[in-house]
Amino acid sequence: MALPARESPKGKRVSLFVTCIVDMIYPGTGLSVVDILEHVGVQVDFPPDQTCCAQPAFNSGYREEARRVAKHFFKVFSDAEVIVTPSGSCAAMVRHEYPHLFAPEDGAAYDAARRMAAITWEFSEFLVDGLGIADLDLSLPAKQSFALHDACHGLRGLGLGAASRDLIAHLGKAELRELNECEVCCGFGGLFSIKMPELSNAMLRNKVNNINASEAETIVTGDVSCLTQMNGGLSRAKSPKRVLHLADVLAQGLPGGRS
């Protein structure tokens, strides 16, 4: 099933869907997203009653529970013109799976699911593909080298990857390096890392080895779940390297910066 078509988001107010993990663990990343969006002239609002996109329940096979969470999402974002989220995983849930959770006979819920899917954008694709802005006219305080880890849902579900690289390539004093097997899973996979910890840890060790072998000082990704998984592995391996969310890297280049 093809992704629902989207109208241009230019000139429209953005409602930020910050995601559960960003809200609970990385609120600074959410603030970085807002800072970057406002830097390019976008009006941003934050619906305070937002919760989860329903992906954990959906991936566990609890479809009725997922539908209930999705219906809350519909209510919270009912007035949204455009929804932007700093997570390819959550964006893929809304774009791909919401239209499958409901059937035409569900009436208003089916219509809402398709509408949400048609107005939702991942952060990097919103900037580059939606607004047509790859050069944010920003520069880092000092030279840094970066390599990209392509998070699975974003890469395979939404075709992301090029936008993040374009944004880093246009960031002053940023240098792009290679990460071997940048498209290979880090082993998190949500419940996969809980249900199959041995396999997950083996995949993580492979990712950590590739990160340590990269010439890049810092790895950049668009999903904080992958970031958490990789930074945990790097910390346990006593590696000096770390993973940052794209929004936090870009925000370092704002006037005054965001550390």
Side-chain angles (χ1 to χ4, degrees):
M1 182 177 178
L3 292 175
R6 290 181 297 197
E7 297 179 355
S8 171
K10 291 181 179 179
K12 296 180 180 179
R13 172 177 48 86
V14 162
S15 295
L16 174 64
F17 174 46
V18 77
T19 81
C20 301
I21 301 181
V22 171
D23 181 41
M24 292 185 292
I25 305 177
Y26 303 101
T29 298
L31 294 173
S32 292
V33 171
V34 174
D35 288 344
I36 293 297
L37 293 177
E38 291 182 343
H39 171 74
V40 297
V42 173
Q43 179 187 354
V44 183
D45 69 47
F46 180 81
D49 293 332
Q50 61 182 275
T51 55
C52 180
C53 68
Q55 185 177 171
F58 179 84
N59 288 346
S60 302
Y62 293 98
R63 298 303 172 89
E64 185 53 43
E65 289 81 357
R67 281 189 282 269
R68 289 204 297 269
V69 175
K71 286 179 180 178
H72 179 72
F73 187 100
F74 302 161
K75 180 180 179 181
V76 170
F77 289 96
S78 60
D79 295 329
E81 298 177 15
V82 172
I83 299 170
V84 172
T85 182
S87 167
S89 175
C90 296
M93 178 67 197
V94 177
R95 294 274 287 147
H96 267 286
E97 309 302 348
Y98 274 16
H100 294 292
L101 271 176
F102 301 91
E105 53 266 29
D106 291 316
Y110 176 75
D111 294 338
R114 296 190 63 80
R115 179 175 181 272
M116 294 298 122
I119 64 171
T120 296
W121 297 74
E122 184 271 343
F123 172 66
S124 68
E125 69 162 349
F126 173 73
L127 291 170
V128 177
D129 300 333
L131 301 183
I133 303 174
D135 188 349
L136 301 178
D137 192 25
L138 298 175
S139 183
L140 297 172
K143 284 187 177 181
Q144 295 186 56
S145 57
F146 303 93
L148 274 293
H149 162 73
D150 296 297
C152 293
H153 280 87
L155 177 66
R156 295 167 179 85
L158 299 174
L160 303 178
S164 294
R165 288 170 172 80
D166 283 349
L167 289 163
I168 295 293
H170 286 91
L171 180 62
K173 298 181 183 177
E175 299 178 351
L176 272 173
R177 296 286 187 264
E178 295 297 321
L179 173 64
N180 187 41
E181 297 184 337
C182 60
E183 78 289 355
V184 173
C185 181
C186 67
F188 181 72
L191 296 176
F192 169 80
S193 60
I194 298 172
K195 291 183 175 181
M196 299 184 178
E198 295 84 3
L199 182 55
S200 172
N201 286 332
M203 296 168 73
L204 176 59
R205 285 194 295 272
N206 181 67
K207 180 62 68 172
V208 167
N209 289 338
N210 282 324
I211 290 174
N212 284 329
S214 173
E215 294 180 355
E217 298 167 282
T218 302
I219 305 303
V220 180
T221 191
D223 264 295
V224 293
S225 53
C226 299
L227 178 154
T228 302
Q229 169 84 339
M230 291 184 286
N231 277 340
L234 290 166
S235 177
R236 290 188 293 275
K238 310 296 185 187
S239 171
K241 295 190 177 182
R242 288 296 181 267
V243 185
L244 293 177
H245 191 281
L246 172 67
D248 291 320
V249 172
L250 298 175
Q252 292 179 24
L254 291 167
R258 176 178 283 279
S259 58

